[in-house]
Amino acid sequence: MTAWIEGRVAARRAWTDTLCSLEVEAPALDFVAGQFARLALPAPPGEKDPMLGRPYSFVNPPGAPLHEFYFNVVPGGPLTPRLAALGPGDALWLGPRANGFLSIPEIPVADALWLISTGTGLGPFLSILRTPDPWEKFGRVVLVHAVRHASALNYADVIAGVARERAGAFSFVPVVSREPHPGALTGRIPALIGDGRLEARAGVPLTADNAHAMLCGNPAMVDDVQAALAGRGMKRHRRKEPGHITLETYW
Ligand SMILES: Cc1cc2nc3c(=O)[nH]c(=O)nc-3n(C[C@H](O)[C@H](O)[C@H](O)COP(=O)(O)OP(=O)(O)OC[C@H]3O[C@@H](n4cnc5c(N)ncnc54)[C@H](O)[C@@H]3O)c2cc1C
Ligand SMILES: NC(=O)c1ccc[n+]([C@@H]2O[C@H](COP(=O)([O-])OP(=O)(O)OC[C@H]3O[C@@H](n4cnc5c(N)ncnc54)[C@H](OP(=O)(O)O)[C@@H]3O)[C@@H](O)[C@H]2O)c1
């Protein structure tokens, strides 16, 4: 049985009706930037397991005083509406161990690192970008964040902070698919790779020779980007068979 660790909500931020972040005060948990924890609340009466848990990526870098999580409120979902209803001082539980392979130590060296996300898949990249690891391993780092509507382009202050600190080494490319938005590309990532607009905006090539791509979020985006990159000779990276693409799907 999981030995859940009790924590307390320190702060809650509702970005929109369906996007929420929680900062959680809990004992330190060892993790590598890019990994995820499990968050849980007591299961409804009559369930076999006493706790209802789901994986969530750390948004904060390791060593930060609070654990932070960014999540989509899935209407009718068993957990997320309850998580979103928590407020400061409320209890929630964390699994005792962090997991996952979407992290810099797991990937090979290249000239450029492309961090490609949809929606809340941005979270683990915000953790990674605030550690020294990507900057020591890659000359250039590109963050791509694709959302349906501009209201979901969140954490602008964190991204601006990275851009200030890493000027010359960092590019941010927002993508909004369902409305025009100043400064953002319009459309979907695979098409923007196909017609060269993504690389043109970033000013960094996305090729087997020069780049490693980390993909996170919507599984359909992850599949379609993998297919687009396969056309450029880029293949999935595995510990036993090095490649160019590392991924995590959220559902
Ligand atoms: C390794 C891993 C890390 C994850 N990290 C995060 C995270 O940091 N933030 C986060 O929001 N979710 C994350 N998820 C998804 C999360 O674990 C839950 O599945 C999600 O929050 C829905 O929980 P629920 O119980 O409310 O609804 P469920 O009944 O579990 O809902 C499932 C359905 O909701 C939709 N859905 C699930 N996750 C998302 C999402 N993120 N965005 C939009 N739609 C979704 C899908 O249609 C899915 O079939 C992660 C999943 C995995 C496997
Ligand atoms: N965002 C909301 O307002 C909202 C509200 C209620 C429920 N939900 C549910 O939440 C889930 C996801 O929410 P989300 O806001 O994170 O949006 P999402 O559906 O994951 O979309 C995020 C971005 O990914 C793009 N995308 C989707 N499929 C793709 C593919 N195959 N290849 C490349 N890009 C792709 C979307 O483009 P397109 O716009 O072209 O699809 C959008 O730009 C869905 O299951 C949805 O039903 C969302």
Side-chain angles (χ1 to χ4, degrees):
M1 201 147 64
T2 308
W4 295 99
I5 299 167
E6 186 169 346
R8 291 210 174 264
V9 174
R12 166 185 184 274
R13 176 158 189 179
W15 303 90
T16 65
D17 287 353
T18 56
L19 286 167
C20 189
S21 296
L22 290 178
E23 287 185 289
V24 179
E25 200 178 339
L29 230 167
D30 278 341
F31 71 97
V32 180
Q35 287 191 314
F36 59 87
R38 286 179 77 79
L39 291 184
L41 290 173
E47 296 290 321
K48 189 162 91 2
D49 290 321
M51 300 295 278
L52 173 65
R54 300 266 189 272
Y56 294 93
S57 303
F58 289 94
V59 174
N60 56 289
L66 297 171
H67 303 304
E68 184 170 354
F69 303 97
Y70 177 44
F71 59 95
N72 214 301
V73 187
V74 177
L79 188 62
T80 49
R82 291 177 62 199
L83 286 178
L86 297 175
D90 287 341
L92 85 173
W93 284 261
L94 283 88
R97 268 176 302 282
N99 289 102
F101 299 100
L102 189 79
S103 67
I104 300 298
E106 290 289 337
I107 67 175
V109 175
D111 292 340
L113 174 65
W114 280 76
L115 305 173
I116 298 180
S117 61
T118 58
T120 52
L122 173 70
F125 297 149
L126 296 178
S127 179
I128 287 172
L129 287 166
R130 289 182 285 172
T131 67
D133 303 9
W135 314 102
E136 289 168 3
K137 204 160 176 174
F138 302 90
R140 292 290 300 267
V141 179
V142 181
L143 173 67
V144 181
H145 187 208
V147 296
R148 295 176 180 189
H149 299 285
S151 59
L153 287 176
N154 296 322
Y155 284 102
D157 54 339
V158 173
I159 295 168
V162 173
R164 265 196 310 277
E165 200 180 326
R166 306 293 179 178
F170 177 63
S171 310
F172 172 53
V173 185
V175 177
V176 179
S177 51
R178 301 194 185 186
E179 61 188 358
H181 180 68
L185 295 179
T186 306
R188 283 186 167 190
I189 299 166
L192 294 166
I193 293 172
D195 65 15
R197 281 199 288 155
L198 200 65
E199 289 160 290
R201 172 62 72 90
V204 179
L206 175 52
T207 63
D209 288 344
N210 104 304
H212 192 93
M214 297 175 98
L215 318 179
C216 187
N218 184 316
M221 176 281 286
V222 168
D223 281 353
D224 290 357
V225 170
Q226 272 198 99
L229 297 182
R232 298 173 169 220
M234 296 174 77
K235 60 171 190 174
R236 177 107 181 246
H237 173 73
R238 297 181 195 280
R239 276 185 175 173
K240 287 188 179 159
E241 216 187 312
H244 320 89
I245 303 170
T246 305
L247 56 89
E248 189 157 271
T249 54
Y250 272 4
W251 67 92

